[in-house]
Amino acid sequence: AQSVTQPDIHITVSEGASLELRCNYSYGATPYLFWYVQSPGQGLQLLLKYFSGDTLVQGIKGFEAEFKRSQSSFNLRKPSVHWSDAAEYFCAVGARDYKLSFGAGTTVTVRA
Amino acid sequence: KAGVTQTPRYLIKTRGQQVTLSCSPISGHRSVSWYQQTPGQGLQFLFEYFSETQRNKGNFPGRFSGRQFSNSRSEMNVSTLELGDSALYLCASSLGTGLLYEQYFGPGTRLTVT
């Protein structure tokens, strides 16, 4: 069965500083990997996804993620955070015809 | 283009009652998926409908059911509500079935069971 671990429940970062959110997955085959963001009172918005090919994936809002098969990881990064990046971030894994399994989420707080 | 809409946005029910939640997908989208989000269990997949047929189902009891209409609108029903059913229920629509198609999420329906 597929599963996702996000080791950090909560991260606080200063505005303008870099951000990295960790994601480790467990899946028997080549996974489909996703990062979503959820702002308070909102649904989920897709930031980026990895299916195959280049292991460094660019997404929206200046985010990128790197797929590392040897480490079963798909960490999300942003070089310089903005106050509007404060939200909850979810990593998810799935197979082509199956639905997503989500991690528990990481809440990001941005301090001025 | 209008996004995914869910009604109602907030709902309070009593234990033992039943509830129906509605989801209108983005125009042209034929797949609708439902997820339950709780602080304890996180985001869990409930089921997916495509062209009025249930295509996938998560590990939820039979009290949770759904259906999809010919216009792709979907409803989700929970019977004999329990306190643990209190959650944010999210609906997502996509053009087709399978993860190659991006899912667009609605704002959710917050269900409180007392």
Side-chain angles (χ1 to χ4, degrees), chain A residues 9-81:
Chain A
I9 297 173
H10 189 203
I11 285 181
T12 298
V13 61
S14 298
E15 192 168 14
S18 64
L19 174 68
E20 181 168 16
L21 303 182
R22 297 183 289 164
C23 172
N24 293 99
Y25 68 89
S26 173
Y27 187 65
T30 300
Y32 288 13
L33 295 161
F34 305 80
W35 274 101
Y36 286 87
V37 61
Q38 186 178 33
S39 298
Q42 303 293 318
L44 277 69
Q45 181 182 23
L46 179 66
L47 286 174
L48 47 78
K49 60 190 175 188
Y50 173 79
F51 291 163
S52 64
D54 192 349
T55 56
L56 186 62
V57 181
Q58 301 298 321
I60 63 171
K61 303 185 179 187
F63 285 93
E64 67 177 25
E66 186 171 13
F67 171 59
K68 292 185 177 180
R69 185 187 300 276
S70 61
Q71 299 177 20
S72 297
S73 69
F74 189 56
N75 294 348
L76 182 72
R77 298 192 293 257
K78 185 169 185 177
S80 176
V81 300

Side-chain angles (χ1 to χ4, degrees), chain A residues 32 34 36 38 41-46 49 51 88 90 93-104, chain B residues 9 31 33 35 37 42-45 48 56 88 90 94 97-108:
Chain A
Y32 288 13
F34 305 80
Y36 286 87
Q38 186 178 33
Q42 303 293 318
L44 277 69
Q45 181 182 23
L46 179 66
K49 60 190 175 188
F51 291 163
E88 190 162 19
F90 294 92
V93 64
R96 179 174 173 172
D97 296 321
Y98 297 96
K99 285 309 168 181
L100 297 170
S101 292
F102 287 87
Chain B
R9 291 293 309 277
S31 171
S33 297
Y35 295 85
Q37 185 177 20
L43 275 155
Q44 297 184 86
F45 169 71
E48 180 208 7
N56 283 297
L88 180 67
L90 292 166
S94 58
T97 185
L99 294 179
L100 290 176
Y101 295 94
E102 180 174 344
Q103 293 190 31
Y104 294 82
F105 284 80

